[in-house]
Amino acid sequence: MIMEEIQKAVRAALKELGIETGEINLEHPADLGHGDYSTNVALRYAKEAGMKPRELAESIRLALLKALAQDEIGISKIEVAGGGFINFYLSKEFFTKSVAEILRQAQDFGRNDSLAGKKVMVEYTDPNPFKEFHIGHLMSNAIGESVARVFEYNGA
């Protein structure tokens, strides 16, 4: 997945700069003008590196650009913003490949075995046998059926 690839690339760039890291916090910015993913890793490790956050962010960006020149993972642009945030912009080719893969997998897209071997009971639509079944029952029926399918797609 692209998020793990970006985290791995940032971790490698930090290692190249002599900084060992734990978790790399990567998130979707609220404003799409700030890219598809953003990280504050330079702000977190600037003191450890003995640099200003923006300087560390620029160093990380340059290391990432070198690494990405050798291995294309679907990033079109990397920029430093504010006091040291690093913004990642995904390429059009990445989205094209992703949509093509979704269409190729069709009904099996998203299917996995994370709940394999587990039994899950989803209770929904419990009409009163002494009253008419009406449109109000439809909502709980649709939600229950959807939840049951999500569990089924996860292997339960």
Side-chain angles (χ1 to χ4, degrees):
M1 199 166 164
I2 189 70
M3 194 169 182
E4 286 86 15
E5 292 291 325
I6 294 172
Q7 288 173 332
K8 189 170 92 174
V10 170
R11 191 171 287 112
L14 285 168
K15 191 171 188 173
E16 185 180 308
L17 296 169
I19 302 169
E20 290 296 322
T21 62
E23 185 179 330
I24 304 292
N25 185 21
L26 202 61
E27 59 186 35
H28 292 287
D31 180 5
L32 291 178
H34 297 295
D36 296 297
Y37 287 100
S38 181
T39 184
N40 65 347
V41 72
L43 298 168
R44 289 181 62 194
Y45 294 103
K47 189 173 185 179
E48 182 181 320
M51 302 170 85
K52 292 181 180 176
R54 188 158 179 95
E55 291 174 13
L56 179 57
E58 275 298 331
S59 299
I60 294 169
R61 186 181 83 81
L62 292 174
L64 285 169
L65 289 174
K66 272 194 269 181
L68 292 176
Q70 299 167 359
D71 183 31
E72 176 61 37
I73 62 171
I75 297 174
S76 64
K77 182 170 84 169
I78 303 171
E79 70 178 15
V80 175
F85 288 95
I86 303 171
N87 298 332
F88 299 90
Y89 296 83
L90 299 177
S91 67
K92 289 180 183 177
E93 292 80 20
F94 168 78
F95 290 110
T96 303
K97 288 178 188 175
S98 297
V99 170
E101 180 62 20
I102 291 168
L103 292 173
R104 187 188 67 73
Q105 290 183 14
Q107 293 294 324
D108 288 332
F109 178 74
R111 190 176 295 271
N112 64 66
D113 294 328
S114 63
L115 297 176
K118 294 187 179 183
K119 289 186 180 185
V120 178
M121 184 178 84
V122 178
E123 186 176 331
Y124 57 96
T125 307
D126 190 16
N128 185 336
F130 301 107
K131 291 186 178 178
E132 273 189 48
F133 194 73
H134 60 83
I135 195 78
H137 294 100
L138 186 60
M139 183 182 79
S140 64
N141 194 20
I143 292 171
E145 179 66 24
S146 298
V147 169
R149 287 180 187 207
V150 167
F151 281 122
E152 183 181 336
Y153 261 57
N154 283 289

